[in-house]
Amino acid sequence: MSALGRHVLAEVYGCEFEILNDLKKVEEIMVNAALEAGAEVREYVFHKFSPQGVSGVVVISESHLAIHTWPELGYAAIDVFTCGESVNPWDACNYLVEKFKAGHMTATEVKRGIMEGLQKEAVNL
């Protein structure tokens, strides 16, 4: 089954509070995760919440990486969406687990833009 993209939804647990609560560190790790996966980084924006937490997105030519952290829980919700064949979203996820010093990750991959479904929709329009 051919698809336009792969979207990994990752639940990352047991991370270090200091890392997940540091805007610059989270930004650096997310950008480097995109690069580690072979993506081309276009733009990124991150926001620090009070009293804690960081959210951000890295826009890549192949789609995006997004994160929201709960440092007080050692938890991060992460999306890695890549299109095409040249970028592996799992490479980015594994890099993030290592750099956030996570205890474990659970993740699900969703195929996006399944070609069979797109072709049927085009005929029905």
mmCIF file with all atom_site columns, all heavy atoms in Angstrom, residues 31-54:
data_model
loop_
_atom_site.group_PDB
_atom_site.id
_atom_site.type_symbol
_atom_site.label_atom_id
_atom_site.label_alt_id
_atom_site.label_comp_id
_atom_site.label_asym_id
_atom_site.label_entity_id
_atom_site.label_seq_id
_atom_site.pdbx_PDB_ins_code
_atom_site.Cartn_x
_atom_site.Cartn_y
_atom_site.Cartn_z
_atom_site.occupancy
_atom_site.B_iso_or_equiv
_atom_site.pdbx_formal_charge
_atom_site.auth_seq_id
_atom_site.auth_comp_id
_atom_site.auth_asym_id
_atom_site.auth_atom_id
_atom_site.pdbx_PDB_model_num
ATOM 1   N N   . VAL A 1 31 ? 15.443 20.221 16.313 1.00 0.00 ? 31 VAL A N   1
ATOM 2   C CA  . VAL A 1 31 ? 16.059 20.554 15.025 1.00 0.00 ? 31 VAL A CA  1
ATOM 3   C C   . VAL A 1 31 ? 17.071 19.481 14.641 1.00 0.00 ? 31 VAL A C   1
ATOM 4   O O   . VAL A 1 31 ? 17.100 19.001 13.500 1.00 0.00 ? 31 VAL A O   1
ATOM 5   C CB  . VAL A 1 31 ? 16.704 21.955 15.059 1.00 0.00 ? 31 VAL A CB  1
ATOM 6   C CG1 . VAL A 1 31 ? 17.590 22.195 13.845 1.00 0.00 ? 31 VAL A CG1 1
ATOM 7   C CG2 . VAL A 1 31 ? 15.629 23.036 15.158 1.00 0.00 ? 31 VAL A CG2 1
ATOM 8   N N   . ASN A 1 32 ? 17.882 19.064 15.597 1.00 0.00 ? 32 ASN A N   1
ATOM 9   C CA  . ASN A 1 32 ? 18.877 18.027 15.312 1.00 0.00 ? 32 ASN A CA  1
ATOM 10  C C   . ASN A 1 32 ? 18.242 16.678 15.011 1.00 0.00 ? 32 ASN A C   1
ATOM 11  O O   . ASN A 1 32 ? 18.790 15.889 14.232 1.00 0.00 ? 32 ASN A O   1
ATOM 12  C CB  . ASN A 1 32 ? 19.897 17.923 16.446 1.00 0.00 ? 32 ASN A CB  1
ATOM 13  C CG  . ASN A 1 32 ? 20.864 19.086 16.436 1.00 0.00 ? 32 ASN A CG  1
ATOM 14  O OD1 . ASN A 1 32 ? 21.139 19.675 15.392 1.00 0.00 ? 32 ASN A OD1 1
ATOM 15  N ND2 . ASN A 1 32 ? 21.387 19.426 17.598 1.00 0.00 ? 32 ASN A ND2 1
ATOM 16  N N   . ALA A 1 33 ? 17.081 16.392 15.601 1.00 0.00 ? 33 ALA A N   1
ATOM 17  C CA  . ALA A 1 33 ? 16.369 15.148 15.284 1.00 0.00 ? 33 ALA A CA  1
ATOM 18  C C   . ALA A 1 33 ? 15.936 15.145 13.820 1.00 0.00 ? 33 ALA A C   1
ATOM 19  O O   . ALA A 1 33 ? 16.034 14.121 13.143 1.00 0.00 ? 33 ALA A O   1
ATOM 20  C CB  . ALA A 1 33 ? 15.155 14.978 16.196 1.00 0.00 ? 33 ALA A CB  1
ATOM 21  N N   . ALA A 1 34 ? 15.467 16.287 13.348 1.00 0.00 ? 34 ALA A N   1
ATOM 22  C CA  . ALA A 1 34 ? 15.086 16.400 11.937 1.00 0.00 ? 34 ALA A CA  1
ATOM 23  C C   . ALA A 1 34 ? 16.292 16.153 11.043 1.00 0.00 ? 34 ALA A C   1
ATOM 24  O O   . ALA A 1 34 ? 16.221 15.399 10.068 1.00 0.00 ? 34 ALA A O   1
ATOM 25  C CB  . ALA A 1 34 ? 14.484 17.773 11.660 1.00 0.00 ? 34 ALA A CB  1
ATOM 26  N N   . LEU A 1 35 ? 17.409 16.759 11.386 1.00 0.00 ? 35 LEU A N   1
ATOM 27  C CA  . LEU A 1 35 ? 18.634 16.595 10.606 1.00 0.00 ? 35 LEU A CA  1
ATOM 28  C C   . LEU A 1 35 ? 19.132 15.151 10.667 1.00 0.00 ? 35 LEU A C   1
ATOM 29  O O   . LEU A 1 35 ? 19.571 14.595 9.654  1.00 0.00 ? 35 LEU A O   1
ATOM 30  C CB  . LEU A 1 35 ? 19.712 17.558 11.095 1.00 0.00 ? 35 LEU A CB  1
ATOM 31  C CG  . LEU A 1 35 ? 19.390 19.047 10.922 1.00 0.00 ? 35 LEU A CG  1
ATOM 32  C CD1 . LEU A 1 35 ? 20.439 19.901 11.614 1.00 0.00 ? 35 LEU A CD1 1
ATOM 33  C CD2 . LEU A 1 35 ? 19.254 19.408 9.448  1.00 0.00 ? 35 LEU A CD2 1
ATOM 34  N N   . GLU A 1 36 ? 19.033 14.548 11.852 1.00 0.00 ? 36 GLU A N   1
ATOM 35  C CA  . GLU A 1 36 ? 19.455 13.154 12.033 1.00 0.00 ? 36 GLU A CA  1
ATOM 36  C C   . GLU A 1 36 ? 18.668 12.214 11.121 1.00 0.00 ? 36 GLU A C   1
ATOM 37  O O   . GLU A 1 36 ? 19.194 11.212 10.640 1.00 0.00 ? 36 GLU A O   1
ATOM 38  C CB  . GLU A 1 36 ? 19.270 12.757 13.503 1.00 0.00 ? 36 GLU A CB  1
ATOM 39  C CG  . GLU A 1 36 ? 19.693 11.363 13.844 1.00 0.00 ? 36 GLU A CG  1
ATOM 40  C CD  . GLU A 1 36 ? 21.203 11.166 13.938 1.00 0.00 ? 36 GLU A CD  1
ATOM 41  O OE1 . GLU A 1 36 ? 21.949 12.171 14.024 1.00 0.00 ? 36 GLU A OE1 1
ATOM 42  O OE2 . GLU A 1 36 ? 21.630 10.013 13.918 1.00 0.00 ? 36 GLU A OE2 1
ATOM 43  N N   . ALA A 1 37 ? 17.400 12.545 10.891 1.00 0.00 ? 37 ALA A N   1
ATOM 44  C CA  . ALA A 1 37 ? 16.543 11.719 10.043 1.00 0.00 ? 37 ALA A CA  1
ATOM 45  C C   . ALA A 1 37 ? 16.765 11.995 8.554  1.00 0.00 ? 37 ALA A C   1
ATOM 46  O O   . ALA A 1 37 ? 16.190 11.311 7.709  1.00 0.00 ? 37 ALA A O   1
ATOM 47  C CB  . ALA A 1 37 ? 15.077 11.954 10.400 1.00 0.00 ? 37 ALA A CB  1
ATOM 48  N N   . GLY A 1 38 ? 17.568 13.004 8.248  1.00 0.00 ? 38 GLY A N   1
ATOM 49  C CA  . GLY A 1 38 ? 17.848 13.328 6.854  1.00 0.00 ? 38 GLY A CA  1
ATOM 50  C C   . GLY A 1 38 ? 16.931 14.372 6.259  1.00 0.00 ? 38 GLY A C   1
ATOM 51  O O   . GLY A 1 38 ? 16.875 14.537 5.042  1.00 0.00 ? 38 GLY A O   1
ATOM 52  N N   . ALA A 1 39 ? 16.209 15.080 7.102  1.00 0.00 ? 39 ALA A N   1
ATOM 53  C CA  . ALA A 1 39 ? 15.270 16.096 6.628  1.00 0.00 ? 39 ALA A CA  1
ATOM 54  C C   . ALA A 1 39 ? 15.970 17.426 6.371  1.00 0.00 ? 39 ALA A C   1
ATOM 55  O O   . ALA A 1 39 ? 17.048 17.694 6.890  1.00 0.00 ? 39 ALA A O   1
ATOM 56  C CB  . ALA A 1 39 ? 14.148 16.291 7.654  1.00 0.00 ? 39 ALA A CB  1
ATOM 57  N N   . GLU A 1 40 ? 15.292 18.265 5.586  1.00 0.00 ? 40 GLU A N   1
ATOM 58  C CA  . GLU A 1 40 ? 15.763 19.620 5.311  1.00 0.00 ? 40 GLU A CA  1
ATOM 59  C C   . GLU A 1 40 ? 14.931 20.592 6.155  1.00 0.00 ? 40 GLU A C   1
ATOM 60  O O   . GLU A 1 40 ? 13.730 20.752 5.920  1.00 0.00 ? 40 GLU A O   1
ATOM 61  C CB  . GLU A 1 40 ? 15.609 19.932 3.828  1.00 0.00 ? 40 GLU A CB  1
ATOM 62  C CG  . GLU A 1 40 ? 16.117 21.292 3.453  1.00 0.00 ? 40 GLU A CG  1
ATOM 63  C CD  . GLU A 1 40 ? 15.963 21.590 1.962  1.00 0.00 ? 40 GLU A CD  1
ATOM 64  O OE1 . GLU A 1 40 ? 15.442 20.737 1.216  1.00 0.00 ? 40 GLU A OE1 1
ATOM 65  O OE2 . GLU A 1 40 ? 16.354 22.693 1.567  1.00 0.00 ? 40 GLU A OE2 1
ATOM 66  N N   . VAL A 1 41 ? 15.557 21.227 7.138  1.00 0.00 ? 41 VAL A N   1
ATOM 67  C CA  . VAL A 1 41 ? 14.863 22.151 8.041  1.00 0.00 ? 41 VAL A CA  1
ATOM 68  C C   . VAL A 1 41 ? 14.596 23.468 7.328  1.00 0.00 ? 41 VAL A C   1
ATOM 69  O O   . VAL A 1 41 ? 15.503 24.059 6.734  1.00 0.00 ? 41 VAL A O   1
ATOM 70  C CB  . VAL A 1 41 ? 15.683 22.377 9.331  1.00 0.00 ? 41 VAL A CB  1
ATOM 71  C CG1 . VAL A 1 41 ? 15.027 23.442 10.207 1.00 0.00 ? 41 VAL A CG1 1
ATOM 72  C CG2 . VAL A 1 41 ? 15.847 21.071 10.092 1.00 0.00 ? 41 VAL A CG2 1
ATOM 73  N N   . ARG A 1 42 ? 13.357 23.927 7.406  1.00 0.00 ? 42 ARG A N   1
ATOM 74  C CA  . ARG A 1 42 ? 12.949 25.203 6.815  1.00 0.00 ? 42 ARG A CA  1
ATOM 75  C C   . ARG A 1 42 ? 12.817 26.302 7.864  1.00 0.00 ? 42 ARG A C   1
ATOM 76  O O   . ARG A 1 42 ? 13.398 27.357 7.732  1.00 0.00 ? 42 ARG A O   1
ATOM 77  C CB  . ARG A 1 42 ? 11.617 25.052 6.070  1.00 0.00 ? 42 ARG A CB  1
ATOM 78  C CG  . ARG A 1 42 ? 11.686 24.173 4.862  1.00 0.00 ? 42 ARG A CG  1
ATOM 79  C CD  . ARG A 1 42 ? 12.595 24.801 3.841  1.00 0.00 ? 42 ARG A CD  1
ATOM 80  N NE  . ARG A 1 42 ? 12.611 24.022 2.615  1.00 0.00 ? 42 ARG A NE  1
ATOM 81  C CZ  . ARG A 1 42 ? 13.073 24.484 1.496  1.00 0.00 ? 42 ARG A CZ  1
ATOM 82  N NH1 . ARG A 1 42 ? 13.551 25.704 1.419  1.00 0.00 ? 42 ARG A NH1 1
ATOM 83  N NH2 . ARG A 1 42 ? 13.073 23.719 0.428  1.00 0.00 ? 42 ARG A NH2 1
ATOM 84  N N   . GLU A 1 43 ? 12.004 26.047 8.886  1.00 0.00 ? 43 GLU A N   1
ATOM 85  C CA  . GLU A 1 43 ? 11.754 27.033 9.949  1.00 0.00 ? 43 GLU A CA  1
ATOM 86  C C   . GLU A 1 43 ? 11.426 26.292 11.234 1.00 0.00 ? 43 GLU A C   1
ATOM 87  O O   . GLU A 1 43 ? 11.071 25.116 11.205 1.00 0.00 ? 43 GLU A O   1
ATOM 88  C CB  . GLU A 1 43 ? 10.553 27.918 9.605  1.00 0.00 ? 43 GLU A CB  1
ATOM 89  C CG  . GLU A 1 43 ? 10.706 28.771 8.384  1.00 0.00 ? 43 GLU A CG  1
ATOM 90  C CD  . GLU A 1 43 ? 9.487  29.642 8.154  1.00 0.00 ? 43 GLU A CD  1
ATOM 91  O OE1 . GLU A 1 43 ? 9.100  30.386 9.081  1.00 0.00 ? 43 GLU A OE1 1
ATOM 92  O OE2 . GLU A 1 43 ? 8.916  29.561 7.059  1.00 0.00 ? 43 GLU A OE2 1
ATOM 93  N N   . TYR A 1 44 ? 11.517 27.012 12.343 1.00 0.00 ? 44 TYR A N   1
ATOM 94  C CA  . TYR A 1 44 ? 11.074 26.436 13.613 1.00 0.00 ? 44 TYR A CA  1
ATOM 95  C C   . TYR A 1 44 ? 10.662 27.540 14.560 1.00 0.00 ? 44 TYR A C   1
ATOM 96  O O   . TYR A 1 44 ? 11.134 28.674 14.471 1.00 0.00 ? 44 TYR A O   1
ATOM 97  C CB  . TYR A 1 44 ? 12.137 25.530 14.243 1.00 0.00 ? 44 TYR A CB  1
ATOM 98  C CG  . TYR A 1 44 ? 13.519 26.129 14.336 1.00 0.00 ? 44 TYR A CG  1
ATOM 99  C CD1 . TYR A 1 44 ? 13.916 26.859 15.443 1.00 0.00 ? 44 TYR A CD1 1
ATOM 100 C CD2 . TYR A 1 44 ? 14.447 25.946 13.307 1.00 0.00 ? 44 TYR A CD2 1
ATOM 101 C CE1 . TYR A 1 44 ? 15.192 27.398 15.530 1.00 0.00 ? 44 TYR A CE1 1
ATOM 102 C CE2 . TYR A 1 44 ? 15.716 26.473 13.386 1.00 0.00 ? 44 TYR A CE2 1
ATOM 103 C CZ  . TYR A 1 44 ? 16.085 27.201 14.501 1.00 0.00 ? 44 TYR A CZ  1
ATOM 104 O OH  . TYR A 1 44 ? 17.343 27.739 14.582 1.00 0.00 ? 44 TYR A OH  1
ATOM 105 N N   . VAL A 1 45 ? 9.726  27.189 15.437 1.00 0.00 ? 45 VAL A N   1
ATOM 106 C CA  . VAL A 1 45 ? 9.253  28.123 16.457 1.00 0.00 ? 45 VAL A CA  1
ATOM 107 C C   . VAL A 1 45 ? 8.939  27.318 17.717 1.00 0.00 ? 45 VAL A C   1
ATOM 108 O O   . VAL A 1 45 ? 8.374  26.222 17.642 1.00 0.00 ? 45 VAL A O   1
ATOM 109 C CB  . VAL A 1 45 ? 8.023  28.931 15.985 1.00 0.00 ? 45 VAL A CB  1
ATOM 110 C CG1 . VAL A 1 45 ? 6.841  28.044 15.686 1.00 0.00 ? 45 VAL A CG1 1
ATOM 111 C CG2 . VAL A 1 45 ? 7.662  30.006 16.995 1.00 0.00 ? 45 VAL A CG2 1
ATOM 112 N N   . PHE A 1 46 ? 9.362  27.865 18.865 1.00 0.00 ? 46 PHE A N   1
ATOM 113 C CA  . PHE A 1 46 ? 9.144  27.216 20.157 1.00 0.00 ? 46 PHE A CA  1
ATOM 114 C C   . PHE A 1 46 ? 8.669  28.249 21.164 1.00 0.00 ? 46 PHE A C   1
ATOM 115 O O   . PHE A 1 46 ? 9.011  29.424 21.064 1.00 0.00 ? 46 PHE A O   1
ATOM 116 C CB  . PHE A 1 46 ? 10.432 26.530 20.643 1.00 0.00 ? 46 PHE A CB  1
ATOM 117 C CG  . PHE A 1 46 ? 10.741 25.284 19.870 1.00 0.00 ? 46 PHE A CG  1
ATOM 118 C CD1 . PHE A 1 46 ? 11.354 25.355 18.635 1.00 0.00 ? 46 PHE A CD1 1
ATOM 119 C CD2 . PHE A 1 46 ? 10.386 24.042 20.360 1.00 0.00 ? 46 PHE A CD2 1
ATOM 120 C CE1 . PHE A 1 46 ? 11.608 24.217 17.897 1.00 0.00 ? 46 PHE A CE1 1
ATOM 121 C CE2 . PHE A 1 46 ? 10.637 22.899 19.627 1.00 0.00 ? 46 PHE A CE2 1
ATOM 122 C CZ  . PHE A 1 46 ? 11.248 22.986 18.394 1.00 0.00 ? 46 PHE A CZ  1
ATOM 123 N N   . HIS A 1 47 ? 7.879  27.782 22.129 1.00 0.00 ? 47 HIS A N   1
ATOM 124 C CA  . HIS A 1 47 ? 7.336  28.662 23.164 1.00 0.00 ? 47 HIS A CA  1
ATOM 125 C C   . HIS A 1 47 ? 7.529  28.020 24.529 1.00 0.00 ? 47 HIS A C   1
ATOM 126 O O   . HIS A 1 47 ? 7.259  26.835 24.699 1.00 0.00 ? 47 HIS A O   1
ATOM 127 C CB  . HIS A 1 47 ? 5.846  28.910 22.921 1.00 0.00 ? 47 HIS A CB  1
ATOM 128 C CG  . HIS A 1 47 ? 5.207  29.715 23.995 1.00 0.00 ? 47 HIS A CG  1
ATOM 129 N ND1 . HIS A 1 47 ? 5.341  31.091 24.061 1.00 0.00 ? 47 HIS A ND1 1
ATOM 130 C CD2 . HIS A 1 47 ? 4.462  29.351 25.054 1.00 0.00 ? 47 HIS A CD2 1
ATOM 131 C CE1 . HIS A 1 47 ? 4.686  31.525 25.124 1.00 0.00 ? 47 HIS A CE1 1
ATOM 132 N NE2 . HIS A 1 47 ? 4.144  30.492 25.743 1.00 0.00 ? 47 HIS A NE2 1
ATOM 133 N N   . LYS A 1 48 ? 7.970  28.807 25.503 1.00 0.00 ? 48 LYS A N   1
ATOM 134 C CA  . LYS A 1 48 ? 8.142  28.358 26.895 1.00 0.00 ? 48 LYS A CA  1
ATOM 135 C C   . LYS A 1 48 ? 6.928  28.796 27.689 1.00 0.00 ? 48 LYS A C   1
ATOM 136 O O   . LYS A 1 48 ? 6.542  29.965 27.666 1.00 0.00 ? 48 LYS A O   1
ATOM 137 C CB  . LYS A 1 48 ? 9.419  28.976 27.477 1.00 0.00 ? 48 LYS A CB  1
ATOM 138 C CG  . LYS A 1 48 ? 9.641  28.702 28.957 1.00 0.00 ? 48 LYS A CG  1
ATOM 139 C CD  . LYS A 1 48 ? 10.215 27.322 29.171 1.00 0.00 ? 48 LYS A CD  1
ATOM 140 C CE  . LYS A 1 48 ? 10.758 27.109 30.558 1.00 0.00 ? 48 LYS A CE  1
ATOM 141 N NZ  . LYS A 1 48 ? 9.770  27.050 31.609 1.00 0.00 ? 48 LYS A NZ  1
ATOM 142 N N   . PHE A 1 49 ? 6.314  27.859 28.407 1.00 0.00 ? 49 PHE A N   1
ATOM 143 C CA  . PHE A 1 49 ? 5.162  28.151 29.244 1.00 0.00 ? 49 PHE A CA  1
ATOM 144 C C   . PHE A 1 49 ? 5.603  28.418 30.677 1.00 0.00 ? 49 PHE A C   1
ATOM 145 O O   . PHE A 1 49 ? 6.682  28.014 31.095 1.00 0.00 ? 49 PHE A O   1
ATOM 146 C CB  . PHE A 1 49 ? 4.170  26.978 29.219 1.00 0.00 ? 49 PHE A CB  1
ATOM 147 C CG  . PHE A 1 49 ? 3.521  26.803 27.886 1.00 0.00 ? 49 PHE A CG  1
ATOM 148 C CD1 . PHE A 1 49 ? 4.030  25.889 26.973 1.00 0.00 ? 49 PHE A CD1 1
ATOM 149 C CD2 . PHE A 1 49 ? 2.422  27.558 27.518 1.00 0.00 ? 49 PHE A CD2 1
ATOM 150 C CE1 . PHE A 1 49 ? 3.445  25.720 25.735 1.00 0.00 ? 49 PHE A CE1 1
ATOM 151 C CE2 . PHE A 1 49 ? 1.834  27.405 26.282 1.00 0.00 ? 49 PHE A CE2 1
ATOM 152 C CZ  . PHE A 1 49 ? 2.347  26.480 25.374 1.00 0.00 ? 49 PHE A CZ  1
ATOM 153 N N   . SER A 1 50 ? 4.735  29.083 31.430 1.00 0.00 ? 50 SER A N   1
ATOM 154 C CA  . SER A 1 50 ? 4.988  29.347 32.836 1.00 0.00 ? 50 SER A CA  1
ATOM 155 C C   . SER A 1 50 ? 3.928  28.606 33.643 1.00 0.00 ? 50 SER A C   1
ATOM 156 O O   . SER A 1 50 ? 2.741  28.713 33.323 1.00 0.00 ? 50 SER A O   1
ATOM 157 C CB  . SER A 1 50 ? 4.892  30.849 33.096 1.00 0.00 ? 50 SER A CB  1
ATOM 158 O OG  . SER A 1 50 ? 5.130  31.120 34.452 1.00 0.00 ? 50 SER A OG  1
ATOM 159 N N   . PRO A 1 51 ? 4.291  27.818 34.624 1.00 0.00 ? 51 PRO A N   1
ATOM 160 C CA  . PRO A 1 51 ? 5.610  27.737 35.237 1.00 0.00 ? 51 PRO A CA  1
ATOM 161 C C   . PRO A 1 51 ? 6.561  26.774 34.544 1.00 0.00 ? 51 PRO A C   1
ATOM 162 O O   . PRO A 1 51 ? 7.755  26.808 34.776 1.00 0.00 ? 51 PRO A O   1
ATOM 163 C CB  . PRO A 1 51 ? 5.308  27.260 36.656 1.00 0.00 ? 51 PRO A CB  1
ATOM 164 C CG  . PRO A 1 51 ? 4.094  26.400 36.510 1.00 0.00 ? 51 PRO A CG  1
ATOM 165 C CD  . PRO A 1 51 ? 3.297  27.043 35.403 1.00 0.00 ? 51 PRO A CD  1
ATOM 166 N N   . GLN A 1 52 ? 6.042  25.884 33.682 1.00 0.00 ? 52 GLN A N   1
ATOM 167 C CA  . GLN A 1 52 ? 6.936  24.943 33.013 1.00 0.00 ? 52 GLN A CA  1
ATOM 168 C C   . GLN A 1 52 ? 6.300  24.424 31.734 1.00 0.00 ? 52 GLN A C   1
ATOM 169 O O   . GLN A 1 52 ? 5.101  24.525 31.545 1.00 0.00 ? 52 GLN A O   1
ATOM 170 C CB  . GLN A 1 52 ? 7.299  23.773 33.925 1.00 0.00 ? 52 GLN A CB  1
ATOM 171 C CG  . GLN A 1 52 ? 6.146  22.883 34.290 1.00 0.00 ? 52 GLN A CG  1
ATOM 172 C CD  . GLN A 1 52 ? 5.915  22.815 35.778 1.00 0.00 ? 52 GLN A CD  1
ATOM 173 O OE1 . GLN A 1 52 ? 6.733  23.249 36.569 1.00 0.00 ? 52 GLN A OE1 1
ATOM 174 N NE2 . GLN A 1 52 ? 4.795  22.264 36.178 1.00 0.00 ? 52 GLN A NE2 1
ATOM 175 N N   . GLY A 1 53 ? 7.127  23.854 30.876 1.00 0.00 ? 53 GLY A N   1
ATOM 176 C CA  . GLY A 1 53 ? 6.657  23.248 29.637 1.00 0.00 ? 53 GLY A CA  1
ATOM 177 C C   . GLY A 1 53 ? 7.102  24.016 28.410 1.00 0.00 ? 53 GLY A C   1
ATOM 178 O O   . GLY A 1 53 ? 7.299  25.229 28.452 1.00 0.00 ? 53 GLY A O   1
ATOM 179 N N   . VAL A 1 54 ? 7.271  23.278 27.334 1.00 0.00 ? 54 VAL A N   1
ATOM 180 C CA  . VAL A 1 54 ? 7.684  23.840 26.056 1.00 0.00 ? 54 VAL A CA  1
ATOM 181 C C   . VAL A 1 54 ? 6.850  23.202 24.951 1.00 0.00 ? 54 VAL A C   1
ATOM 182 O O   . VAL A 1 54 ? 6.585  21.999 24.991 1.00 0.00 ? 54 VAL A O   1
ATOM 183 C CB  . VAL A 1 54 ? 9.191  23.558 25.785 1.00 0.00 ? 54 VAL A CB  1
ATOM 184 C CG1 . VAL A 1 54 ? 9.604  24.027 24.395 1.00 0.00 ? 54 VAL A CG1 1
ATOM 185 C CG2 . VAL A 1 54 ? 10.063 24.194 26.853 1.00 0.00 ? 54 VAL A CG2 1
#
